[in-house]
Amino acid sequence: MALSAATLSGCSAGATSDWDAVDERRQAEVAAVEWLGADGDWDLRAPASQWSRSEPAAGVWERPSVERVGDVPGPAWRLAADEVRAAVDTGWRPAFVRCGPDAAMVDLVSTLDDGSSVTARVEAQTGTDVGWTVRVTAVALHHSDADPGPVRPGSGDVDLGCLDGAAAAITWSGTPALLNPMGGPALTDG
């Protein structure tokens, strides 16, 4: 799989036009995270695809991010467990897990070299109804974000037991942590 340098840098059209050197550095660092660029037949996008169906409005920005998707055989719980193990081995901390009979999702948190927060979500599913069985998204803070410190840090008490085998029902532990790839000021009371 060949990836262009322009794809992995923050030099994409659109909402990244307000990026500064901090965002470019964070984008490059997130794109260089070893477990995010795992070997295999992956589609890697940087910045990650947007979840919103509308164009960014004034005062809204695109955060540095990476998304990796792939079609890997195996049960969802095992695919998620493999990704989480690789993430934890590189210093990420689990903050949230949700498992079901055919899907698993885990949010993780870490910090970048500049001390700012970065979050990631591992999603795995059985089947290929959406064209992938594993999706990993990592999102760092934009230079305009007020850094809350480690975003919902994994406290170590997240029960990852549902990643030991197929869950018969939906179970979860912890607090979701993934930042949206789009950011902006929070609404305040007038």
Side-chain angles (χ1 to χ4, degrees):
M1 171 181 58
L3 298 172
S4 71
T7 301
L8 292 178
S9 73
C11 301
S12 62
T16 57
S17 63
D18 69 336
W19 279 17
D20 66 7
V22 170
D23 301 307
E24 294 290 342
R25 189 174 54 253
R26 289 176 181 171
Q27 178 66 50
E29 187 174 345
V30 171
V33 171
E34 186 176 334
W35 75 274
L36 289 173
D39 293 334
D41 188 19
W42 300 100
D43 181 9
L44 185 65
R45 297 177 212 137
S49 56
Q50 299 306 310
W51 302 339
S52 172
R53 294 179 188 208
S54 60
E55 291 297 317
V60 176
W61 50 78
E62 187 174 5
R63 291 182 170 123
S65 58
V66 173
E67 180 180 71
R68 171 173 52 89
V69 295
D71 189 10
V72 182
W77 63 268
R78 184 174 297 134
L79 298 174
D82 290 347
E83 291 288 347
V84 169
R85 197 171 11 265
V88 168
D89 286 350
T90 61
W92 290 73
R93 298 172 312 280
F96 174 74
V97 61
R98 183 181 73 198
C99 298
D102 296 320
M105 180 175 73
V106 181
D107 285 0
L108 302 114
V109 296
S110 189
T111 54
L112 297 177
D113 289 343
D114 66 5
S116 66
S117 300
V118 60
T119 62
R121 175 167 289 166
V122 172
E123 297 173 274
Q125 64 181 6
T126 302
T128 58
D129 294 339
V130 295
W132 54 266
T133 56
V134 177
R135 176 171 58 187
V136 179
T137 306
V139 182
L141 292 170
H142 183 272
H143 75 272
S144 296
D145 285 318
D147 192 344
V151 178
R152 297 182 189 99
S155 62
D157 60 356
V158 176
D159 181 1
L160 298 174
C162 68
L163 298 180
D164 292 336
I170 295 175
T171 61
W172 65 89
S173 176
T175 304
L178 184 69
L179 293 166
N180 190 308
M182 297 300 288
L187 297 176
T188 58
D189 293 332

